[in-house]
Amino acid sequence: MQYALLIYAEPGYLETSSDEEREAAYAEYFAMAGDDRYVSAAQLQPAETATCVRLSGGRTLMTDGPFADTKEVLGGFCLIEAADLDEALEWAARVPALRFGGTVEVRPVVRL
């Protein structure tokens, strides 16, 4: 089954880290990408670059940035193959953003 690991963190968390911490985090992300269970991943541009689209009263409304004003923002995702939720949670625990105060949301992917 595929699981999406949605990575939330404070904007710029890696830029405020030491060179050694940043290099170690990138090395861990690349190591995860080398695993056979890895499907895909991407880092997202900053939340300020987002545009939200909604329907209201039959009209399409577009607004800049994320809807919710939060400390953490969705910064990226990783799509993995895992036998079950426990295995997906083990993967999530390896995401370097956690060490910098981030959160990883784990969700099963619905295949159509």
Side-chain angles (χ1 to χ4, degrees):
M1 170 168 240
Q2 288 189 341
Y3 288 87
L5 309 181
L6 306 173
I7 304 166
Y8 294 87
E10 287 189 42
Y13 75 94
L14 281 178
E15 289 76 23
T16 61
S17 305
S18 70
D19 289 342
E20 293 80 20
E21 289 174 319
R22 190 172 32 260
E23 288 174 20
Y26 282 130
E28 289 176 65
Y29 281 120
F30 288 125
M32 291 172 76
D35 191 296
D36 290 341
R37 296 166 292 178
Y38 170 91
V39 176
S40 178
Q43 181 178 356
L44 301 175
Q45 291 290 335
E48 301 83 54
T49 66
T51 302
C52 294
V53 179
R54 291 180 183 72
L55 287 177
S56 178
R59 293 182 30 223
T60 303
L61 302 176
M62 289 175 256
T63 57
D64 292 337
F67 182 69
D69 186 22
T70 62
K71 183 177 176 181
E72 292 180 334
V73 296
L74 178 61
F77 67 90
C78 181
L79 187 63
I80 62 166
E81 288 282 349
D84 53 30
L85 178 59
D86 289 336
E87 186 177 351
L89 293 173
E90 288 175 16
W91 259 81
R94 295 173 45 199
V95 173
L98 294 174
R99 287 196 314 277
F100 299 93
T103 302
V104 177
E105 179 181 342
V106 179
R107 285 201 210 176
V109 173
V110 176
R111 304 298 287 176
L112 300 177

